[in-house]
Amino acid sequence: AVVSTQSTGDRVGKKDPISRGLEISADWLGFKFDSQFWSQHLSFVIVGVIIICSIRGLLINLIKWFYAISSTKSSNILVLFLAQIMGMYFVSCVLLMRMNLPPEYRVIITEVLGDIHFNFYHRWFDVIFLVSAVITMGVLYVTHQTSPDKYHK
């Protein structure tokens, strides 16, 4: 529901979720502190953990796939293919991270990546994510139903 709602509207926010969450919790608890300072540091830590875990999971799955289909003749091509996949994955993480950054930091990523229509890619990322999630659920369901009785105990 969230992805379908966000893919139809303009979800590039004026304020990142960490800043908004800190402001709400500070108001609710009655604390006074510099939310901008703490939200930047907390955002940096959370984004770092998310990227590390995400890339770790991708690498684990790619290594399993690599061992399943590699041979001595195809290993060089597979390494180049995996490097390309990792590069695209990293750029997509940066694009998604840009969406939740404060506006003054979005400019930096925009300058580094050049003239890219970010809103176009943000919308299409959500649509592709939704379609791939549905396809993955279907594949997992079919695999689970057609597999030997190791899952049906």
Side-chain angles (χ1 to χ4, degrees), residues 68-111:
I69 67 166
S70 69
S71 68
T72 56
K73 295 176 183 167
S74 67
S75 64
N76 290 338
I77 294 171
L78 285 174
V79 168
L80 290 174
F81 178 72
L82 294 178
Q84 180 71 27
I85 296 283
M86 281 299 299
M88 289 188 311
Y89 190 75
F90 178 75
V91 170
S92 69
C93 285
V94 169
L95 284 174
L96 289 176
M97 204 173 56
R98 178 197 171 274
M99 182 175 27
N100 290 318
L101 287 174
E104 61 267 14
Y105 296 120
R106 285 185 204 155
V107 173
I108 297 169
I109 293 178
T110 303
E111 289 175 4

Side-chain angles (χ1 to χ4, degrees), residues 41-66:
H41 288 80
L42 189 59
S43 294
F44 180 73
V45 169
I46 290 173
V47 166
V49 169
I50 289 172
I51 288 176
I52 288 171
C53 291
S54 179
I55 291 176
R56 180 183 172 273
L58 177 71
L59 285 174
I60 288 171
N61 287 326
L62 287 178
I63 287 171
K64 288 178 189 176
W65 181 73
F66 181 75

Side-chain angles (χ1 to χ4, degrees), residues 5 28 35 38 53 56-57 59 62 68 74 77 86 89 92 99 114-115 117 121 123 141 145-147:
T5 302
W28 189 65
S35 65
W38 287 107
C53 291
R56 180 183 172 273
L59 285 174
L62 287 178
S74 67
I77 294 171
M86 281 299 299
Y89 190 75
S92 69
M99 182 175 27
D115 186 26
H117 302 286
Y121 290 106
R123 274 193 307 270
Y141 176 77
Q145 293 299 321
T146 60
S147 66

